[in-house]
Amino acid sequence: MNTAQWGMACASLLLAMGAAAGELYRWVDEDGRVYFSDQPPVETQAQDISDKLEPINSIDGTRTQRSAEGRRPHDIEREYTQRRQQQQQARQRALKRFCQQARQRLNALNGRVAFIDENGREVRYSERERQQMAQKLSHEITHRCD
């Protein structure tokens, strides 16, 4: 079971437990992880989603279970997966831009260098400072880029 499936299973279980208890709270931590509980967290704000739940045991057994927004659970899981993929793609694009710029700066540092500040004035660095900047960039490229 992958992380997304495990998360959906836990969320479903908590939703079921929350419906029985009468109160259910939802919150997201700084890493984007979603939590559910029948008790509000002390350390952060939580959204009370108790009134957004549908009964799990229905007289009409042929009806497909839907969330409060009218989406089926598998639709929610698909949206979650798509959102995670979009976030990962955005991180990859940002890393690719960083790597391209770092390689360009490293190439510039390895040749004849004339640094110009934002006012158009030349900034002088010693050879040792230039080598330290080049070494630092090289280290970043090695550890962060392919």
Side-chain angles (χ1 to χ4, degrees), residues 93-104:
R93 285 191 301 271
L95 180 60
K96 185 176 180 179
R97 274 193 309 273
F98 166 81
C99 292
Q100 288 173 339
Q101 292 170 351
R103 286 184 180 112
Q104 290 172 348

Side-chain angles (χ1 to χ4, degrees), residues 104-115:
Q104 290 172 348
R105 288 191 304 268
L106 182 60
N107 286 337
L109 284 170
N110 287 329
R112 285 185 58 93
V113 179
F115 295 97

Side-chain angles (χ1 to χ4, degrees), residues 55-69:
I56 293 173
N57 297 326
S58 172
I59 295 173
D60 182 7
T62 61
R63 188 173 63 118
T64 303
Q65 181 182 354
R66 293 178 178 263
S67 71
E69 295 84 23

Side-chain angles (χ1 to χ4, degrees), residues 26-30 35 40-47:
R26 176 188 183 276
W27 69 96
V28 180
D29 70 8
E30 61 273 355
Y35 296 90
V42 176
E43 66 279 353
T44 187
Q45 289 266 167
Q47 177 185 12

Side-chain angles (χ1 to χ4, degrees), residues 7-113:
M8 288 301 295
C10 288
S12 297
L13 180 61
L14 287 171
L15 285 172
M17 291 181 346
E23 292 182 336
L24 185 65
Y25 298 91
R26 176 188 183 276
W27 69 96
V28 180
D29 70 8
E30 61 273 355
D31 295 324
R33 288 180 285 220
V34 179
Y35 296 90
F36 297 91
S37 176
D38 61 345
Q39 299 289 321
V42 176
E43 66 279 353
T44 187
Q45 289 266 167
Q47 177 185 12
D48 183 354
I49 61 171
S50 305
D51 59 335
K52 297 180 181 176
L53 299 176
E54 288 186 5
I56 293 173
N57 297 326
S58 172
I59 295 173
D60 182 7
T62 61
R63 188 173 63 118
T64 303
Q65 181 182 354
R66 293 178 178 263
S67 71
E69 295 84 23
R71 298 178 296 175
R72 292 185 180 108
H74 69 273
D75 292 337
I76 295 171
E77 184 175 353
R78 186 174 349 111
E79 290 172 14
Y80 171 79
T81 302
Q82 289 172 343
R83 193 174 319 121
R84 295 285 293 187
Q85 288 172 345
Q86 290 170 349
Q87 290 171 344
Q88 184 177 11
Q89 290 169 353
R91 283 191 299 271
Q92 289 172 345
R93 285 191 301 271
L95 180 60
K96 185 176 180 179
R97 274 193 309 273
F98 166 81
C99 292
Q100 288 173 339
Q101 292 170 351
R103 286 184 180 112
Q104 290 172 348
R105 288 191 304 268
L106 182 60
N107 286 337
L109 284 170
N110 287 329
R112 285 185 58 93
V113 179

